[in-house]
Amino acid sequence: VRDVMLGFAKMRIVPRTHASEDVFHAIADGNRRGLIDLMEPGPRAVGELVVASGLSYSATSQHLAILRRAGLVSSEASGRRRIYQLRPAALREVYDWSGRYSEFWRSRLGALGDLLGEQP
């Protein structure tokens, strides 16, 4: 992983071999975000996630493997079932990164409000 400057912005470059371990890569897919949402209330068996998500068993398993490698979920066997649990601490990196832009959006929305307030 390395940082490079592109114009005025610093960009994080993740080597392809490590992309599946990157939290940002893991949450980039809407299906994986949906699985995360399904586990937010508590641990869920793979079968429950398949039914609730509408994905195939194979697709669900592949998405869960990516989430597991990124540290977003853990799994354990319970008899013949595999139970997955959200590990939200891994999302802290996303929260911290996106939080840097809260002041940017506050100022932009404030400027827009000022502009709209000036309209007759």
Side-chain angles (χ1 to χ4, degrees):
V1 177
R2 63 188 171 95
D3 292 333
V4 295
M5 291 300 293
L6 296 175
F8 63 90
K10 186 191 285 187
M11 184 173 173
R12 188 170 179 216
I13 304 296
V14 179
R16 187 82 171 128
T17 56
H18 301 292
S20 65
E21 298 170 4
D22 181 65
V23 174
F24 290 91
H25 169 78
I27 65 169
D29 184 275
N31 290 315
R32 290 192 287 270
R33 290 191 307 273
L35 290 170
I36 289 170
D37 289 344
L38 290 170
M39 289 181 277
E40 189 271 329
R44 304 279 297 260
V46 174
E48 294 175 72
L49 293 169
V50 167
V51 171
S53 69
L55 299 170
S56 69
Y57 191 92
S58 176
T60 301
S61 294
Q62 290 173 14
H63 287 305
L64 289 169
I66 291 169
L67 293 172
R68 193 174 76 263
R69 283 193 301 270
L72 288 163
V73 299
S74 62
S75 69
E76 70 176 49
S78 176
R80 293 179 53 156
R81 298 171 15 149
R82 181 141 302 270
I83 308 296
Y84 281 83
Q85 182 170 352
L86 179 63
R87 296 287 179 219
L91 289 168
R92 184 65 190 207
E93 181 180 0
V94 176
Y95 177 81
D96 290 344
W97 179 82
S98 62
R100 297 183 339 202
Y101 295 95
S102 63
E103 181 56 38
F104 168 80
W105 286 111
R106 240 189 315 277
S107 67
R108 293 289 172 117
L109 292 174
L112 177 61
D114 293 345
L115 179 64
L116 292 175
E118 295 172 6
Q119 299 296 318

mmCIF file of all heavy atoms in Angstrom, residues 1 12 14-15 18-30 32-33 36 63 65-73 86-98:
data_model
loop_
_atom_site.group_PDB
_atom_site.id
_atom_site.type_symbol
_atom_site.label_atom_id
_atom_site.label_comp_id
_atom_site.label_asym_id
_atom_site.label_seq_id
_atom_site.Cartn_x
_atom_site.Cartn_y
_atom_site.Cartn_z
ATOM 1 N N VAL A 1 0.852 -1.172 0.000
ATOM 2 C CA VAL A 1 0.000 0.000 0.000
ATOM 3 C C VAL A 1 0.896 1.232 0.000
ATOM 4 O O VAL A 1 1.832 1.324 0.775
ATOM 5 C CB VAL A 1 -0.926 0.031 1.233
ATOM 6 C CG1 VAL A 1 -1.744 1.287 1.264
ATOM 7 C CG2 VAL A 1 -1.799 -1.187 1.275
ATOM 8 N N ARG A 12 -4.642 6.644 -2.331
ATOM 9 C CA ARG A 12 -4.111 5.424 -1.740
ATOM 10 C C ARG A 12 -4.092 4.338 -2.803
ATOM 11 O O ARG A 12 -5.135 3.988 -3.348
ATOM 12 C CB ARG A 12 -4.990 5.017 -0.570
ATOM 13 C CG ARG A 12 -4.458 3.892 0.226
ATOM 14 C CD ARG A 12 -5.287 3.758 1.476
ATOM 15 N NE ARG A 12 -4.772 2.647 2.226
ATOM 16 C CZ ARG A 12 -5.513 1.822 2.912
ATOM 17 N NH1 ARG A 12 -6.813 2.000 2.956
ATOM 18 N NH2 ARG A 12 -4.990 0.837 3.574
ATOM 19 N N VAL A 14 -3.581 0.483 -3.599
ATOM 20 C CA VAL A 14 -3.571 -0.828 -2.963
ATOM 21 C C VAL A 14 -3.136 -1.843 -4.001
ATOM 22 O O VAL A 14 -3.765 -1.971 -5.049
ATOM 23 C CB VAL A 14 -4.983 -1.195 -2.427
ATOM 24 C CG1 VAL A 14 -4.961 -2.567 -1.788
ATOM 25 C CG2 VAL A 14 -5.468 -0.146 -1.454
ATOM 26 N N PRO A 15 -2.052 -2.578 -3.732
ATOM 27 C CA PRO A 15 -1.624 -3.596 -4.693
ATOM 28 C C PRO A 15 -2.752 -4.601 -4.948
ATOM 29 O O PRO A 15 -3.523 -4.917 -4.054
ATOM 30 C CB PRO A 15 -0.446 -4.281 -3.993
ATOM 31 C CG PRO A 15 -0.006 -3.320 -2.953
ATOM 32 C CD PRO A 15 -1.210 -2.521 -2.565
ATOM 33 N N HIS A 18 -3.552 -7.400 -2.603
ATOM 34 C CA HIS A 18 -4.099 -7.065 -1.298
ATOM 35 C C HIS A 18 -5.460 -6.384 -1.378
ATOM 36 O O HIS A 18 -6.037 -6.064 -0.360
ATOM 37 C CB HIS A 18 -3.134 -6.157 -0.536
ATOM 38 C CG HIS A 18 -1.793 -6.769 -0.322
ATOM 39 N ND1 HIS A 18 -1.582 -7.846 0.501
ATOM 40 C CD2 HIS A 18 -0.587 -6.464 -0.845
ATOM 41 C CE1 HIS A 18 -0.305 -8.182 0.479
ATOM 42 N NE2 HIS A 18 0.323 -7.354 -0.340
ATOM 43 N N ALA A 19 -5.969 -6.171 -2.564
ATOM 44 C CA ALA A 19 -7.225 -5.431 -2.714
ATOM 45 C C ALA A 19 -8.370 -6.109 -1.972
ATOM 46 O O ALA A 19 -9.210 -5.435 -1.393
ATOM 47 C CB ALA A 19 -7.580 -5.259 -4.189
ATOM 48 N N SER A 20 -8.405 -7.444 -1.975
ATOM 49 C CA SER A 20 -9.518 -8.130 -1.324
ATOM 50 C C SER A 20 -9.443 -8.014 0.192
ATOM 51 O O SER A 20 -10.401 -8.339 0.879
ATOM 52 C CB SER A 20 -9.559 -9.597 -1.738
ATOM 53 O OG SER A 20 -8.410 -10.266 -1.261
ATOM 54 N N GLU A 21 -8.317 -7.551 0.733
ATOM 55 C CA GLU A 21 -8.190 -7.350 2.170
ATOM 56 C C GLU A 21 -8.494 -5.905 2.560
ATOM 57 O O GLU A 21 -8.508 -5.573 3.731
ATOM 58 C CB GLU A 21 -6.776 -7.714 2.618
ATOM 59 C CG GLU A 21 -6.440 -9.170 2.362
ATOM 60 C CD GLU A 21 -4.981 -9.480 2.566
ATOM 61 O OE1 GLU A 21 -4.219 -8.592 2.986
ATOM 62 O OE2 GLU A 21 -4.594 -10.632 2.294
ATOM 63 N N ASP A 22 -8.754 -5.056 1.598
ATOM 64 C CA ASP A 22 -8.988 -3.640 1.829
ATOM 65 C C ASP A 22 -10.463 -3.395 2.157
ATOM 66 O O ASP A 22 -11.356 -3.848 1.433
ATOM 67 C CB ASP A 22 -8.585 -2.855 0.574
ATOM 68 C CG ASP A 22 -8.785 -1.373 0.741
ATOM 69 O OD1 ASP A 22 -8.093 -0.778 1.592
ATOM 70 O OD2 ASP A 22 -9.635 -0.806 0.037
ATOM 71 N N VAL A 23 -10.720 -2.693 3.242
ATOM 72 C CA VAL A 23 -12.092 -2.402 3.667
ATOM 73 C C VAL A 23 -12.846 -1.620 2.600
ATOM 74 O O VAL A 23 -14.015 -1.897 2.319
ATOM 75 C CB VAL A 23 -12.098 -1.640 5.013
ATOM 76 C CG1 VAL A 23 -13.497 -1.199 5.382
ATOM 77 C CG2 VAL A 23 -11.500 -2.498 6.102
ATOM 78 N N PHE A 24 -12.197 -0.669 1.952
ATOM 79 C CA PHE A 24 -12.860 0.135 0.930
ATOM 80 C C PHE A 24 -13.270 -0.734 -0.263
ATOM 81 O O PHE A 24 -14.355 -0.565 -0.813
ATOM 82 C CB PHE A 24 -11.960 1.283 0.476
ATOM 83 C CG PHE A 24 -11.779 2.337 1.530
ATOM 84 C CD1 PHE A 24 -10.727 2.268 2.425
ATOM 85 C CD2 PHE A 24 -12.674 3.384 1.636
ATOM 86 C CE1 PHE A 24 -10.561 3.235 3.405
ATOM 87 C CE2 PHE A 24 -12.525 4.359 2.606
ATOM 88 C CZ PHE A 24 -11.457 4.281 3.493
ATOM 89 N N HIS A 25 -12.413 -1.657 -0.641
ATOM 90 C CA HIS A 25 -12.762 -2.601 -1.716
ATOM 91 C C HIS A 25 -13.945 -3.460 -1.285
ATOM 92 O O HIS A 25 -14.875 -3.689 -2.068
ATOM 93 C CB HIS A 25 -11.559 -3.494 -2.055
ATOM 94 C CG HIS A 25 -11.897 -4.642 -2.934
ATOM 95 N ND1 HIS A 25 -12.089 -4.509 -4.284
ATOM 96 C CD2 HIS A 25 -12.095 -5.946 -2.652
ATOM 97 C CE1 HIS A 25 -12.398 -5.687 -4.799
ATOM 98 N NE2 HIS A 25 -12.402 -6.574 -3.825
ATOM 99 N N ALA A 26 -13.915 -3.919 -0.057
ATOM 100 C CA ALA A 26 -14.978 -4.806 0.427
ATOM 101 C C ALA A 26 -16.341 -4.125 0.419
ATOM 102 O O ALA A 26 -17.340 -4.739 0.052
ATOM 103 C CB ALA A 26 -14.636 -5.308 1.830
ATOM 104 N N ILE A 27 -16.397 -2.865 0.794
ATOM 105 C CA ILE A 27 -17.703 -2.197 0.860
ATOM 106 C C ILE A 27 -18.085 -1.515 -0.452
ATOM 107 O O ILE A 27 -19.163 -0.947 -0.561
ATOM 108 C CB ILE A 27 -17.779 -1.183 2.023
ATOM 109 C CG1 ILE A 27 -16.806 -0.026 1.815
ATOM 110 C CG2 ILE A 27 -17.562 -1.888 3.350
ATOM 111 C CD1 ILE A 27 -17.012 1.127 2.768
ATOM 112 N N ALA A 28 -17.217 -1.605 -1.452
ATOM 113 C CA ALA A 28 -17.522 -0.977 -2.740
ATOM 114 C C ALA A 28 -18.672 -1.675 -3.454
ATOM 115 O O ALA A 28 -19.356 -1.062 -4.270
ATOM 116 C CB ALA A 28 -16.285 -0.989 -3.640
ATOM 117 N N ASP A 29 -18.910 -2.913 -3.142
ATOM 118 C CA ASP A 29 -19.971 -3.687 -3.791
ATOM 119 C C ASP A 29 -21.273 -3.569 -2.990
ATOM 120 O O ASP A 29 -21.284 -3.804 -1.774
ATOM 121 C CB ASP A 29 -19.540 -5.152 -3.892
ATOM 122 C CG ASP A 29 -20.550 -5.986 -4.636
ATOM 123 O OD1 ASP A 29 -21.519 -6.447 -3.992
ATOM 124 O OD2 ASP A 29 -20.380 -6.175 -5.856
ATOM 125 N N GLY A 30 -22.346 -3.237 -3.662
ATOM 126 C CA GLY A 30 -23.640 -3.068 -3.003
ATOM 127 C C GLY A 30 -24.149 -4.332 -2.337
ATOM 128 O O GLY A 30 -24.796 -4.265 -1.285
ATOM 129 N N ARG A 32 -22.319 -6.610 -0.897
ATOM 130 C CA ARG A 32 -21.593 -6.778 0.364
ATOM 131 C C ARG A 32 -22.086 -5.778 1.402
ATOM 132 O O ARG A 32 -22.202 -6.111 2.585
ATOM 133 C CB ARG A 32 -20.086 -6.654 0.130
ATOM 134 C CG ARG A 32 -19.539 -7.857 -0.638
ATOM 135 C CD ARG A 32 -18.043 -7.927 -0.658
ATOM 136 N NE ARG A 32 -17.395 -6.959 -1.502
ATOM 137 C CZ ARG A 32 -17.100 -7.153 -2.795
ATOM 138 N NH1 ARG A 32 -17.418 -8.284 -3.387
ATOM 139 N NH2 ARG A 32 -16.488 -6.214 -3.483
ATOM 140 N N ARG A 33 -22.393 -4.555 0.973
ATOM 141 C CA ARG A 33 -22.973 -3.591 1.929
ATOM 142 C C ARG A 33 -24.314 -4.108 2.441
ATOM 143 O O ARG A 33 -24.635 -3.965 3.621
ATOM 144 C CB ARG A 33 -23.124 -2.211 1.291
ATOM 145 C CG ARG A 33 -21.793 -1.510 1.040
ATOM 146 C CD ARG A 33 -21.962 -0.050 0.659
ATOM 147 N NE ARG A 33 -22.860 0.176 -0.458
ATOM 148 C CZ ARG A 33 -22.494 0.156 -1.739
ATOM 149 N NH1 ARG A 33 -21.237 -0.079 -2.078
ATOM 150 N NH2 ARG A 33 -23.376 0.376 -2.698
ATOM 151 N N ILE A 36 -23.658 -6.686 5.062
ATOM 152 C CA ILE A 36 -23.256 -6.012 6.300
ATOM 153 C C ILE A 36 -24.500 -5.509 7.028
ATOM 154 O O ILE A 36 -24.642 -5.694 8.236
ATOM 155 C CB ILE A 36 -22.274 -4.859 6.011
ATOM 156 C CG1 ILE A 36 -20.915 -5.420 5.594
ATOM 157 C CG2 ILE A 36 -22.137 -3.932 7.215
ATOM 158 C CD1 ILE A 36 -19.955 -4.379 5.062
ATOM 159 N N HIS A 63 -19.017 -13.344 -1.430
ATOM 160 C CA HIS A 63 -19.034 -12.007 -0.820
ATOM 161 C C HIS A 63 -18.603 -12.073 0.648
ATOM 162 O O HIS A 63 -17.849 -11.214 1.121
ATOM 163 C CB HIS A 63 -20.422 -11.380 -0.929
ATOM 164 C CG HIS A 63 -20.772 -10.923 -2.303
ATOM 165 N ND1 HIS A 63 -19.987 -10.056 -3.032
ATOM 166 C CD2 HIS A 63 -21.838 -11.211 -3.093
ATOM 167 C CE1 HIS A 63 -20.547 -9.829 -4.208
ATOM 168 N NE2 HIS A 63 -21.674 -10.521 -4.269
ATOM 169 N N ALA A 65 -16.597 -14.197 1.980
ATOM 170 C CA ALA A 65 -15.152 -14.447 2.025
ATOM 171 C C ALA A 65 -14.381 -13.136 1.895
ATOM 172 O O ALA A 65 -13.384 -12.913 2.594
ATOM 173 C CB ALA A 65 -14.751 -15.424 0.925
ATOM 174 N N ILE A 66 -14.837 -12.256 1.024
ATOM 175 C CA ILE A 66 -14.188 -10.949 0.859
ATOM 176 C C ILE A 66 -14.352 -10.117 2.127
ATOM 177 O O ILE A 66 -13.397 -9.487 2.604
ATOM 178 C CB ILE A 66 -14.735 -10.220 -0.382
ATOM 179 C CG1 ILE A 66 -14.284 -10.954 -1.645
ATOM 180 C CG2 ILE A 66 -14.295 -8.748 -0.412
ATOM 181 C CD1 ILE A 66 -14.966 -10.501 -2.919
ATOM 182 N N LEU A 67 -15.547 -10.118 2.689
ATOM 183 C CA LEU A 67 -15.781 -9.379 3.930
ATOM 184 C C LEU A 67 -14.918 -9.932 5.064
ATOM 185 O O LEU A 67 -14.395 -9.172 5.883
ATOM 186 C CB LEU A 67 -17.266 -9.432 4.308
ATOM 187 C CG LEU A 67 -18.224 -8.692 3.378
ATOM 188 C CD1 LEU A 67 -19.677 -8.985 3.755
ATOM 189 C CD2 LEU A 67 -17.957 -7.195 3.387
ATOM 190 N N ARG A 68 -14.754 -11.246 5.103
ATOM 191 C CA ARG A 68 -13.931 -11.868 6.140
ATOM 192 C C ARG A 68 -12.459 -11.482 5.982
ATOM 193 O O ARG A 68 -11.797 -11.113 6.950
ATOM 194 C CB ARG A 68 -14.101 -13.387 6.123
ATOM 195 C CG ARG A 68 -13.538 -14.067 7.355
ATOM 196 C CD ARG A 68 -13.822 -15.556 7.431
ATOM 197 N NE ARG A 68 -12.966 -16.309 6.534
ATOM 198 C CZ ARG A 68 -13.263 -16.743 5.298
ATOM 199 N NH1 ARG A 68 -14.418 -16.522 4.787
ATOM 200 N NH2 ARG A 68 -12.421 -17.405 4.560
ATOM 201 N N ARG A 69 -11.941 -11.527 4.745
ATOM 202 C CA ARG A 69 -10.538 -11.148 4.517
ATOM 203 C C ARG A 69 -10.280 -9.690 4.877
ATOM 204 O O ARG A 69 -9.181 -9.335 5.297
ATOM 205 C CB ARG A 69 -10.142 -11.420 3.065
ATOM 206 C CG ARG A 69 -9.883 -12.888 2.782
ATOM 207 C CD ARG A 69 -9.207 -13.097 1.449
ATOM 208 N NE ARG A 69 -9.959 -12.597 0.317
ATOM 209 C CZ ARG A 69 -10.848 -13.307 -0.384
ATOM 210 N NH1 ARG A 69 -11.087 -14.564 -0.070
ATOM 211 N NH2 ARG A 69 -11.476 -12.767 -1.400
ATOM 212 N N ALA A 70 -11.281 -8.840 4.720
ATOM 213 C CA ALA A 70 -11.139 -7.419 5.060
ATOM 214 C C ALA A 70 -11.329 -7.180 6.557
ATOM 215 O O ALA A 70 -11.174 -6.046 7.017
ATOM 216 C CB ALA A 70 -12.146 -6.588 4.269
ATOM 217 N N GLY A 71 -11.653 -8.216 7.309
ATOM 218 C CA GLY A 71 -11.836 -8.078 8.746
ATOM 219 C C GLY A 71 -13.181 -7.523 9.154
ATOM 220 O O GLY A 71 -13.384 -7.149 10.302
ATOM 221 N N LEU A 72 -14.125 -7.475 8.213
ATOM 222 C CA LEU A 72 -15.450 -6.920 8.508
ATOM 223 C C LEU A 72 -16.402 -7.919 9.147
ATOM 224 O O LEU A 72 -17.389 -7.520 9.763
ATOM 225 C CB LEU A 72 -16.077 -6.364 7.227
ATOM 226 C CG LEU A 72 -15.437 -5.075 6.741
ATOM 227 C CD1 LEU A 72 -15.800 -4.807 5.291
ATOM 228 C CD2 LEU A 72 -15.869 -3.918 7.623
ATOM 229 N N VAL A 73 -16.142 -9.195 8.962
ATOM 230 C CA VAL A 73 -16.977 -10.228 9.571
ATOM 231 C C VAL A 73 -16.083 -11.345 10.096
ATOM 232 O O VAL A 73 -14.956 -11.528 9.646
ATOM 233 C CB VAL A 73 -18.027 -10.828 8.594
ATOM 234 C CG1 VAL A 73 -18.986 -9.765 8.090
ATOM 235 C CG2 VAL A 73 -17.372 -11.564 7.446
ATOM 236 N N LEU A 86 -20.864 -9.500 12.233
ATOM 237 C CA LEU A 86 -20.243 -8.239 11.832
ATOM 238 C C LEU A 86 -19.180 -7.831 12.840
ATOM 239 O O LEU A 86 -19.374 -7.954 14.042
ATOM 240 C CB LEU A 86 -21.324 -7.150 11.731
ATOM 241 C CG LEU A 86 -20.862 -5.747 11.350
ATOM 242 C CD1 LEU A 86 -20.249 -5.752 9.954
ATOM 243 C CD2 LEU A 86 -22.040 -4.788 11.400
ATOM 244 N N ARG A 87 -18.062 -7.338 12.332
ATOM 245 C CA ARG A 87 -16.983 -6.767 13.136
ATOM 246 C C ARG A 87 -16.870 -5.295 12.742
ATOM 247 O O ARG A 87 -16.054 -4.914 11.907
ATOM 248 C CB ARG A 87 -15.655 -7.494 12.877
ATOM 249 C CG ARG A 87 -15.660 -8.931 13.282
ATOM 250 C CD ARG A 87 -15.614 -9.013 14.788
ATOM 251 N NE ARG A 87 -15.629 -10.394 15.246
ATOM 252 C CZ ARG A 87 -16.296 -10.793 16.297
ATOM 253 N NH1 ARG A 87 -17.010 -9.924 16.989
ATOM 254 N NH2 ARG A 87 -16.257 -12.032 16.680
ATOM 255 N N PRO A 88 -17.740 -4.456 13.318
ATOM 256 C CA PRO A 88 -17.833 -3.065 12.865
ATOM 257 C C PRO A 88 -16.581 -2.233 13.106
ATOM 258 O O PRO A 88 -16.420 -1.191 12.475
ATOM 259 C CB PRO A 88 -19.028 -2.515 13.644
ATOM 260 C CG PRO A 88 -19.152 -3.396 14.834
ATOM 261 C CD PRO A 88 -18.655 -4.749 14.408
ATOM 262 N N ALA A 89 -15.680 -2.662 13.968
ATOM 263 C CA ALA A 89 -14.466 -1.877 14.212
ATOM 264 C C ALA A 89 -13.673 -1.675 12.924
ATOM 265 O O ALA A 89 -13.005 -0.651 12.754
ATOM 266 C CB ALA A 89 -13.603 -2.556 15.270
ATOM 267 N N ALA A 90 -13.763 -2.629 11.997
ATOM 268 C CA ALA A 90 -13.044 -2.508 10.722
ATOM 269 C C ALA A 90 -13.567 -1.346 9.887
ATOM 270 O O ALA A 90 -12.864 -0.825 9.024
ATOM 271 C CB ALA A 90 -13.129 -3.809 9.936
ATOM 272 N N LEU A 91 -14.803 -0.923 10.139
ATOM 273 C CA LEU A 91 -15.376 0.206 9.406
ATOM 274 C C LEU A 91 -14.858 1.549 9.916
ATOM 275 O O LEU A 91 -15.109 2.581 9.304
ATOM 276 C CB LEU A 91 -16.904 0.184 9.492
ATOM 277 C CG LEU A 91 -17.579 -0.931 8.700
ATOM 278 C CD1 LEU A 91 -19.045 -1.038 9.074
ATOM 279 C CD2 LEU A 91 -17.409 -0.703 7.214
ATOM 280 N N ARG A 92 -14.113 1.536 11.004
ATOM 281 C CA ARG A 92 -13.584 2.785 11.566
ATOM 282 C C ARG A 92 -12.705 3.521 10.558
ATOM 283 O O ARG A 92 -12.718 4.749 10.490
ATOM 284 C CB ARG A 92 -12.795 2.480 12.843
ATOM 285 C CG ARG A 92 -12.276 3.692 13.556
ATOM 286 C CD ARG A 92 -13.442 4.499 14.055
ATOM 287 N NE ARG A 92 -12.989 5.776 14.545
ATOM 288 C CZ ARG A 92 -13.624 6.457 15.465
ATOM 289 N NH1 ARG A 92 -14.729 5.983 15.993
ATOM 290 N NH2 ARG A 92 -13.167 7.602 15.853
ATOM 291 N N GLU A 93 -11.949 2.764 9.755
ATOM 292 C CA GLU A 93 -11.089 3.371 8.739
ATOM 293 C C GLU A 93 -11.923 4.170 7.737
ATOM 294 O O GLU A 93 -11.565 5.279 7.352
ATOM 295 C CB GLU A 93 -10.295 2.289 8.006
ATOM 296 C CG GLU A 93 -9.359 2.822 6.958
ATOM 297 C CD GLU A 93 -8.589 1.722 6.238
ATOM 298 O OE1 GLU A 93 -8.769 0.529 6.532
ATOM 299 O OE2 GLU A 93 -7.787 2.079 5.362
ATOM 300 N N VAL A 94 -13.064 3.629 7.352
ATOM 301 C CA VAL A 94 -13.959 4.319 6.409
ATOM 302 C C VAL A 94 -14.564 5.549 7.080
ATOM 303 O O VAL A 94 -14.625 6.621 6.486
ATOM 304 C CB VAL A 94 -15.069 3.372 5.910
ATOM 305 C CG1 VAL A 94 -16.055 4.096 5.023
ATOM 306 C CG2 VAL A 94 -14.460 2.172 5.198
ATOM 307 N N TYR A 95 -14.987 5.391 8.318
ATOM 308 C CA TYR A 95 -15.574 6.495 9.066
ATOM 309 C C TYR A 95 -14.572 7.640 9.219
ATOM 310 O O TYR A 95 -14.903 8.804 8.986
ATOM 311 C CB TYR A 95 -16.032 5.991 10.434
ATOM 312 C CG TYR A 95 -16.596 7.062 11.321
ATOM 313 C CD1 TYR A 95 -17.913 7.490 11.172
ATOM 314 C CD2 TYR A 95 -15.821 7.654 12.323
ATOM 315 C CE1 TYR A 95 -18.443 8.474 11.987
ATOM 316 C CE2 TYR A 95 -16.335 8.639 13.133
ATOM 317 C CZ TYR A 95 -17.644 9.045 12.966
ATOM 318 O OH TYR A 95 -18.160 10.024 13.766
ATOM 319 N N ASP A 96 -13.351 7.300 9.606
ATOM 320 C CA ASP A 96 -12.328 8.332 9.783
ATOM 321 C C ASP A 96 -12.022 9.042 8.472
ATOM 322 O O ASP A 96 -11.892 10.268 8.435
ATOM 323 C CB ASP A 96 -11.042 7.724 10.354
ATOM 324 C CG ASP A 96 -11.203 7.280 11.793
ATOM 325 O OD1 ASP A 96 -12.176 7.697 12.458
ATOM 326 O OD2 ASP A 96 -10.346 6.498 12.257
ATOM 327 N N TRP A 97 -11.890 8.290 7.399
ATOM 328 C CA TRP A 97 -11.575 8.887 6.101
ATOM 329 C C TRP A 97 -12.714 9.797 5.628
ATOM 330 O O TRP A 97 -12.486 10.930 5.230
ATOM 331 C CB TRP A 97 -11.309 7.793 5.066
ATOM 332 C CG TRP A 97 -11.016 8.343 3.712
ATOM 333 C CD1 TRP A 97 -9.824 8.824 3.259
ATOM 334 C CD2 TRP A 97 -11.946 8.510 2.643
ATOM 335 N NE1 TRP A 97 -9.963 9.271 1.960
ATOM 336 C CE2 TRP A 97 -11.259 9.086 1.557
ATOM 337 C CE3 TRP A 97 -13.302 8.217 2.495
ATOM 338 C CZ2 TRP A 97 -11.876 9.380 0.354
ATOM 339 C CZ3 TRP A 97 -13.916 8.506 1.286
ATOM 340 C CH2 TRP A 97 -13.200 9.081 0.236
ATOM 341 N N SER A 98 -13.940 9.292 5.665
ATOM 342 C CA SER A 98 -15.062 10.089 5.160
ATOM 343 C C SER A 98 -15.356 11.277 6.069
ATOM 344 O O SER A 98 -15.836 12.313 5.607
ATOM 345 C CB SER A 98 -16.316 9.222 4.979
ATOM 346 O OG SER A 98 -16.731 8.681 6.220
#
